[in-house]
Amino acid sequence: MSHIIAIAADHAAYELKSEIADWLRAAGHEVLDLGTDGPQSVDYPDYGYKLAKAIADGEARFGIALCGSGIGISMAANRNPACRSALVSEPLSAELARSHNDANVIAIGARLTGPEMAKVCVERFLATDFLGDRHSRRVDKLGAPQL
């Protein structure tokens, strides 16, 4: 099944972004590339916000957020209540992010996770369905925090 997938990265992850985007296109997915496209220093929150907006606006079903560690861009993306970004570094966390947490974005650290492992994480993420049931109640609470 093909999807529209948004992908965004800062300068530390632009090479990984390009590799993953090309790989996704070759697999038949439509890729919404939100930048950045070079080594010039940029601010990861700007790209996390762009990615989250694309998800919230329905431009893409899933997103891939990339920065040096994956942490900062994930935090930025999660500022948008429509975005459920999970930092992953191996396939089991990618699978659980989808099946238990209905994540619609995965974040990967380009300085911590190599391209082949990143692709395995993306592949598992896209192949996994949300289980619903008892997990739905918990996911619903993510969009409506009781502070």
Side-chain angles (χ1 to χ4, degrees):
M1 174 182 232
S2 66
H3 300 288
I4 299 174
I5 302 166
I7 189 166
D10 73 354
H11 57 280
Y14 81 93
E15 289 178 346
L16 180 60
K17 178 190 64 78
S18 295
E19 186 169 339
I20 290 175
D22 290 345
W23 172 75
L24 287 167
R25 285 185 193 103
H29 299 286
E30 184 178 335
V31 176
L32 178 60
D33 188 335
L34 301 171
T36 193
D37 296 314
Q40 299 79 22
S41 182
V42 297
D43 298 331
Y44 61 81
D46 297 338
Y47 294 89
Y49 298 152
K50 281 183 185 184
L51 180 66
K53 184 174 183 337
I55 297 295
D57 290 350
E59 295 178 50
R61 177 159 184 220
F62 295 115
I64 302 168
L66 306 165
C67 69
S69 67
I71 298 168
I73 199 165
S74 181
M75 293 171 82
N78 278 326
R79 297 284 179 153
N80 187 317
C83 188
R84 291 177 304 281
S85 178
L87 177 62
V88 304
S89 59
E90 40 65 42
L92 181 58
S93 59
E95 178 181 333
L96 291 172
R98 280 288 307 132
S99 65
H100 287 199
N101 308 115
D102 198 20
N104 50 14
V105 174
I106 57 170
I108 300 171
R111 293 180 177 147
L112 306 173
T113 305
E116 295 310 311
M117 180 58 73
K119 290 175 191 174
V120 172
C121 290
V122 169
E123 188 172 57
R124 183 77 64 91
F125 178 78
L126 295 175
T128 302
D129 291 324
F130 177 51
L131 293 175
D133 195 35
R134 71 182 190 278
H135 303 290
S136 294
R137 178 181 77 248
R138 297 166 188 154
V139 170
D140 289 345
K141 289 180 179 185
L142 292 173
Q146 302 291 315
L147 303 176

